[in-house]
Amino acid sequence: MCGIVGYIGHRNAVSVLIQGLEHLEYRGYDSAGIACLNRSSHAIEVVKEKGKLAALKNLLAGRDLSAHAGLGHTRWATHGEPSRLNAHPHLDNSKRLAIIHNGIIENYAALKDELKAKGFRFYSQTDTEVAVNLIACYYSRSTGLVEAVLKAVKRMEGYFAFALISREEPDRLIAFKRSNPLVIGFGQQENFLASDVSALLPYTNRFLYLEDDEYAVLTARTVEVFDLKTRKPVKRRPVEIQWTIAEAQKGGYSHYMLKEIYEQPAVVEEIIKNQVKPGGRIEFERMSAGYRAKLRKIRRVYAVSCGTAYHAAIVGQYMLEKYARIPVEVAVSSEFRYEDPVLNSEDLVVVISQSGETADTLAALRIAKQKKALTLAIVNVVGSTLAREADFVIYTHAGPEIGVASTKAYVAQLATMISVTIFMARLRRKSPEAELRSLVSEFKKLPAACEKTLELAKSIDRCARKHSHRKNFLYIGRGYNYPTALEGALKLKEISYAHAHGYAAGELKHGPIALIDNEQPVICIAPHSKTYAKMVSNIQEIKARDGIVIAIGTAGDDALDDMADDFFAIPKMSEIFSPILAVIPLQLFAYKVSVLNGRDVDQPRNLAKSVTVE
Ligand code: M6R
């Protein structure tokens, strides 16, 4: 979704803003712009353009802009088409103020009518231009900008974060947050603002996340944060984030997604290092005895998430039910939040999210808390909103994931789910300790098995070449690998734009089998498992109808190899590990098909990395 960068200090703001926006490109956007404050000219200069940052940089190439402060934005259209006019920043009618904004002002139409009646004119279709004029409407030298912002915010409904500069108060940036993420970065005689930390990693690793209904005033030397209701200063210590800028770069790979696929063995290794202690104990950093005691009393789990994280939740359901013998319900956050779920203090609501900022998942978490359920967040981004608001957070330690298509974050969620499962099984004494111990020792072999699976890349390339022209793919799996089928299909459709549908293999006869002919590829995920024989029957049914079978199976499964048109072998491990291994060839397949079709792998059309609006 939209990206925000703000800067004030001793450097030329233009290059900080552009560099910051480059690091936010992964979030997905369709136009970009900057607004700069120059002390000597006493003017705000705005440069913006539709399309990618390259277009904005072209416009800037001919300009000699120097500025000590400014705002930068990448826009993902909500109100009004992607265009230069609708791109941010937006100026108020008198050109005194410039704003950048993420989120949605739900009552913007009514506010716009009111402002029009007062003589304000609008040039874009955005709710953002309404916001800046509303602030301008309350702004005078005597009231000052902060007061004007606070008055305007009282009138604005919805979920938003914004940053503002004024040519009349050139030594400060003002920022406000409600629901959409905003983080302040601390420098030496310079300060920064951004919608996520990756924009600021080249400059600082000290950050302060704004909470809802907090506003901040930044100068080059100071940062002040206030609570909207009390107007009192907020005293919170900045957090240090250990991600390096190198981790957020491509490191020789042609795409972030490919780099992130190859990082998976290391990600699993890191999780094991963090969560598996000597003697095979599973421990989660900072879990209190009180929280542990509450977990012991839990009678039911809800796993709530979106997209890829939802697939991780389904895998988690199968794991927890088998080993911890606890009932688990899985829900898509956007449904859960409006379903009026029946929850109480004996329920554990687990929210799973890479970004920790997904609007629907955040709403689901808040509902769970209102209903007094115990909450647990499994999140990648340290300090993100879900991480801060949940009763307890387990970080997935995958490092920054830049490719819009989630890969290593998914594998990290699954690996973390394995730890959570073993932990819960012990807590509830529901599986024989010998069995859990043997899982822990096998878990330690998982990074090497992931590494081995990556060796399939060349043969997957060949398979992708045979099928990259096709427009329809089916994915089927059972048990732990039913969600693998969903995830494989999601990966392919989001980055190649081919239609791909994942099914529980048992559902084949209930409809999708009608699609099978000699043009229909079916990706069958069939490693050894308790439903292996059923998968083989499904594959035979597909072959009997001339379908094309691309099979993922266990190494040494010659029978499946003979049956399939293409066969990819993953290392032999217990079933619980198979969704991690089986998804790797599917990620590689989707990647290759996307490249062969000339798609934008890392920033596929219409998609955003972090979905911070409903
Ligand atoms: O940041 P989150 O994990 O909460 O994001 C959830 C989904 O938006 C995300 O997984 C999305 O489906 C990805 N593009 C999938 O590759």
Side-chain angles (χ1 to χ4, degrees):
M1 303 255 115
C2 307
I4 281 182
V5 190
Y7 176 74
I8 187 156
H10 53 83
R11 305 175 203 241
N12 183 5
V14 179
S15 46
V16 179
L17 298 176
I18 293 296
Q19 198 183 13
L21 292 181
E22 282 168 352
H23 289 293
L24 293 181
E25 278 196 286
Y26 77 96
R27 292 169 68 97
Y29 69 105
D30 44 51
S31 55
I34 60 169
C36 299
L37 256 176
N38 186 313
R39 235 184 247 109
S40 40
S41 70
H42 293 288
I44 298 176
E45 299 254 22
V46 172
V47 185
K48 51 190 191 175
E49 189 52 296
K50 178 182 167 180
K52 294 288 174 187
L53 269 183
L56 176 67
K57 286 196 230 165
N58 273 344
L59 278 185
L60 285 167
R63 311 273 300 261
D64 179 24
L65 283 182
S66 77
H68 69 286
L71 305 173
H73 192 262
T74 45
R75 172 175 188 255
W76 188 84
T78 54
H79 293 66
E81 57 178 8
S83 69
R84 184 189 284 186
L85 263 187
N86 287 332
H88 300 206
H90 287 277
L91 292 169
D92 73 304
N93 282 185
S94 65
K95 299 191 171 32
R96 290 180 300 167
L97 307 177
I99 194 172
I100 52 177
H101 151 234
N102 287 358
I104 293 175
I105 298 160
E106 288 171 350
N107 61 335
Y108 84 104
L111 293 171
K112 192 170 184 175
D113 288 345
E114 184 183 316
L115 289 166
K116 273 184 179 166
K118 289 187 174 150
F120 283 86
R121 297 184 61 180
F122 292 92
Y123 304 94
S124 76
Q125 299 155 292
T126 64
D127 48 352
T128 312
E129 200 186 7
V130 175
V132 72
N133 281 300
L134 185 67
I135 296 167
C137 175
Y138 292 119
Y139 185 34
S140 70
R141 271 177 196 275
S142 59
T143 54
L145 189 54
V146 171
E147 213 45 48
V149 166
L150 300 187
K151 283 192 174 141
V153 157
K154 276 202 184 131
R155 306 279 325 279
M156 286 155 56
E157 291 165 16
Y159 306 95
F160 41 83
F162 62 78
L164 202 71
I165 49 176
S166 158
R167 80 172 182 219
E168 280 155 19
E169 299 180 37
D171 291 320
R172 48 206 204 145
L173 303 184
I174 314 279
F176 177 84
K177 171 194 170 357
R178 178 174 293 160
S179 235
N180 283 64
L182 212 49
V183 62
I184 294 167
F186 293 81
Q188 295 291 334
Q189 316 218 344
E190 58 181 350
N191 286 306
F192 307 83
L193 256 184
S195 43
D196 78 66
V197 296
S198 23
L200 307 181
L201 287 174
Y203 306 103
T204 181
N205 65 353
R206 286 181 64 228
F207 299 101
L208 185 87
Y209 287 90
L210 288 185
E211 297 288 355
D212 281 351
D213 283 353
E214 286 180 355
Y215 59 97
V217 181
L218 282 72
T219 69
R221 287 165 188 274
T222 59
V223 171
E224 293 174 294
V225 178
F226 301 90
D227 178 87
L228 176 69
K229 232 193 239 150
T230 61
R231 303 247 189 141
K232 291 206 174 118
V234 170
K235 299 262 174 271
R236 224 181 8 257
R237 290 237 221 115
V239 291
E240 294 216 349
I241 294 212
Q242 299 312 332
W243 291 359
T244 63
I245 188 64
E247 282 177 308
Q249 284 171 345
K250 275 189 215 157
Y253 287 89
S254 35
H255 296 94
Y256 284 110
M257 180 182 176
L258 191 61
K259 175 183 172 239
E260 288 158 5
I261 291 173
Y262 276 89
E263 282 171 349
Q264 293 178 124
V267 166
V268 177
E269 184 95 61
E270 184 66 19
I271 288 171
I272 294 170
K273 200 176 96 198
N274 279 287
Q275 298 170 355
V276 182
K277 305 295 167 194
R281 268 176 305 116
I282 304 288
E283 267 178 29
F284 301 108
E285 253 178 276
R286 296 181 309 272
M287 186 185 278
S288 67
Y291 187 83
R292 208 185 148 100
K294 284 184 190 159
L295 271 184
R296 195 174 278 122
K297 292 193 187 129
I298 287 307
R299 299 173 77 100
R300 185 175 54 159
V301 176
Y302 265 97
V304 188
S305 44
C306 303
T308 285
Y310 169 67
H311 302 152
I314 309 176
V315 179
Q317 174 190 18
Y318 291 169
M319 290 177 182
L320 282 166
E321 290 193 333
K322 174 165 170 50
Y323 291 98
R325 303 304 300 149
I326 188 159
V328 182
E329 300 203 21
V330 179
V332 167
S333 312
S334 54
E335 290 297 314
F336 180 89
R337 66 181 291 188
Y338 293 114
E339 262 173 11
D340 197 12
V342 181
L343 292 173
N344 61 44
S345 60
E346 293 183 328
D347 292 318
L348 171 70
V349 173
V350 183
V351 288
I352 307 171
S353 172
Q354 187 287 128
S355 61
E357 302 293 352
T358 301
D360 284 322
T361 308
L362 188 53
L365 174 74
R366 288 176 179 166
I367 287 166
K369 291 188 78 174
Q370 265 165 27
K371 299 195 176 208
K372 308 277 183 266
L374 186 65
T375 59
L376 165 67
I378 296 180
V379 164
N380 192 36
V381 178
V382 174
S384 54
T385 313
L386 284 172
R388 296 196 310 274
E389 293 196 12
D391 296 323
F392 185 69
V393 57
I394 301 176
Y395 287 116
T396 52
H397 302 292
E401 187 180 67
I402 308 294
V404 163
S406 190
T407 52
K408 65 173 180 171
Y410 178 63
V411 158
Q413 287 158 356
L414 298 188
T416 302
M417 268 299 177
I418 293 173
S419 298
V420 171
T421 299
I422 299 171
F423 178 86
M424 289 292 285
R426 282 183 175 146
L427 201 62
R428 295 168 53 80
R429 299 181 201 282
K430 289 294 179 185
S431 281
E433 179 54 26
E435 189 179 5
L436 298 176
R437 259 178 202 283
S438 124
L439 278 190
V440 172
S441 7
E442 223 183 327
F443 195 12
K444 292 184 186 157
K445 296 182 187 140
L446 187 59
C450 292
E451 203 77 69
K452 180 86 192 137
T453 309
L454 284 166
E455 289 173 12
L456 291 170
K458 274 217 177 88
S459 48
I460 286 169
D461 273 16
R462 284 195 292 276
C463 177
R465 277 177 206 285
K466 278 198 272 177
H467 299 292
S468 62
H469 63 286
R470 298 188 191 279
K471 296 282 169 273
N472 277 299
F473 293 80
L474 285 178
Y475 287 70
I476 58 167
R478 285 174 183 254
Y480 287 122
N481 287 301
Y482 155 51
T484 311
L486 301 181
E487 176 59 9
L490 178 66
K491 279 305 77 103
L492 187 71
K493 81 183 122 201
E494 66 181 336
I495 60 170
S496 78
Y497 316 150
H499 175 254
H501 205 124
Y503 276 101
E507 282 290 290
L508 203 61
K509 286 196 198 70
H510 299 280
I513 201 161
L515 296 170
I516 308 292
D517 63 13
N518 61 1
E519 291 291 319
Q520 180 63 60
V522 188
I523 290 97
C524 306
I525 304 129
H528 285 155
S529 70
K530 67 173 186 219
T531 51
Y532 173 75
K534 308 281 170 203
M535 277 304 294
V536 168
S537 305
N538 290 132
I539 291 169
Q540 274 160 351
E541 286 154 12
I542 297 164
K543 288 308 298 173
R545 287 156 183 85
D546 285 338
I548 304 161
V549 170
I550 301 169
I552 314 286
T554 304
D557 188 344
D558 296 337
L560 186 58
D561 193 353
D562 288 346
M563 234 180 286
D565 296 275
D566 285 285
F567 174 70
F568 300 105
I570 58 172
K572 189 168 188 227
M573 289 190 85
S574 295
E575 218 181 324
I576 189 172
F577 302 104
S578 65
I580 293 185
L581 298 173
V583 81
I584 295 173
L586 305 185
Q587 296 166 339
L588 288 166
F589 182 75
Y591 171 77
K592 195 63 193 179
V593 171
S594 172
V595 170
L596 290 168
N597 282 291
R599 307 300 192 210
D600 189 342
V601 175
D602 286 329
Q603 292 163 43
R605 69 182 180 203
N606 305 337
L607 290 178
K609 180 70 186 162
S610 172
V611 183
T612 50
V613 292
E614 265 194 272

